[in-house]
Amino acid sequence: MRDDTAASRLGLTSQRLPLPAAVDRTRIVWSYAITVGLYHLVALLAVLPWFFSWTGLVLGALGIFVFGSLGINLGYHRLLTHRGLVCPKWLEHGFAILGICCMQDTPARWVAVHRRHHQFSDRQDDPHTPLVNFLWGHVGWMLVENRDLARLGIYDRYAKDILRDPFYRRLERSFLYPTIIIGSWATFFLLGAAIGLILGDEPPEAVQLGASVLLWGVFVRTVAVWHITWLVNSAAHLWGRRPYDTGDDSRNNWVVALLSNGEGWHNNHHIDPRSAAHGRTKWQIDGVFACIRALEALGLATDVVRPNPNLPVRPAAESRKR
Ligand SMILES: [Zn+2]
Ligand SMILES: [Zn+2]
């Protein structure tokens, strides 16, 4: 009998594709599971009025752009994974550090997993296709062991170019990665406390503002950026139009595009992955590409890959079909 419950329509219960053969559902990746669980729990403290401040809220919202759009979308994705532009090394490493502060693992790991996604998109060996089900594509895939994603194997296959850079190698082998993350916590706390003291707060109130900025600027922001990134993997392979015949289920999803500053034009991205622009029409707003063009104008980005103008577009009626 056809399962037509709301849960199944959302992709929560149906399973159209089997899990990758290398997945062992009984083996939890505790480092990820604990991190994802703890960050969500800590972020929930934001409901307590004691932690609220407008400074924290504004810094958290700005952080979604600075860390999520510049760190993950521009840095990890368009620059490092797809080489859609070239930046001076100091700037490339700067974007990578912003990406690291989003707790989405090291640049080499992110790049390798994402390149595998493009290679096997929406087939069984895709690490995170939502055609298994929505929750698997959104977050479940990273919480259980997948031997296909064992570090040394995927690095050798997908991230050799990244690991030629000593900075990215150090992030794999030393304490540099956790140091950057803990350093970002300290920076946010101290920034909040300093703002409080400058505005004339007594020390206890300055500590409270520091805690607020830490909570909103780091924990709430990280959880928000996670779900935005994860929606590109889940929603933008389930809902939206498919103007290009990519052979997978990637979609142009305007809600995800708005949230992610352009990454939701995901069908455009899958047909033309190296293009630094994901929006292809005037109305497909792509804030990340606007930043790349600004960098180019300033001489800080070169070899910016433009969209291929010669791709055949499917008829509108076809592109709407599921
Ligand atoms: Zn995709
Ligand atoms: Zn990509």
Side-chain angles (χ1 to χ4, degrees), residues 26-140:
T26 62
R27 295 176 74 104
I28 309 275
V29 179
W30 287 108
S31 57
Y32 278 13
I34 291 171
T35 305
V36 168
L38 272 182
Y39 263 66
H40 278 82
L41 283 177
V42 174
L44 277 177
L45 293 174
V47 301
L48 300 178
W50 192 86
F51 281 104
F52 182 79
S53 68
W54 286 105
T55 312
L57 184 70
V58 168
L59 288 176
L62 277 177
I64 292 176
F65 173 75
V66 171
F67 294 95
S69 294
L70 298 183
I72 295 294
N73 303 345
L74 197 165
Y76 271 28
H77 190 206
R78 302 192 199 190
L79 174 59
L80 291 177
T81 305
H82 295 296
R83 305 291 189 192
L85 63 152
V86 174
C87 289
K89 273 290 168 194
W90 64 267
L91 186 60
E92 180 191 300
H93 292 168
F95 286 132
I97 289 170
L98 294 176
I100 290 164
C101 294
C102 296
M103 292 288 281
Q104 297 190 13
D105 216 316
T106 59
R109 169 81 177 176
W110 201 104
V111 165
V113 171
H114 190 71
R115 285 177 178 169
R116 189 174 172 85
H117 164 63
H118 276 272
Q119 188 184 3
F120 295 106
S121 187
D122 291 323
R123 286 180 277 148
Q124 190 183 358
D125 285 336
D126 182 343
H128 47 61
T129 173
L131 298 195
V132 172
N133 65 50
F134 174 85
L135 275 180
W136 171 262
H138 196 69
V139 58

Side-chain angles (χ1 to χ4, degrees), residues 295-322:
L295 289 174
E296 190 179 39
L298 292 168
L300 292 172
T302 56
D303 304 284
V304 176
V305 181
R306 296 305 208 271
N308 177 351
N310 301 317
L311 297 172
V313 183
R314 303 198 307 167
E318 279 286 303
S319 79
R320 275 193 286 273
K321 277 191 193 149
R322 293 294 315 267

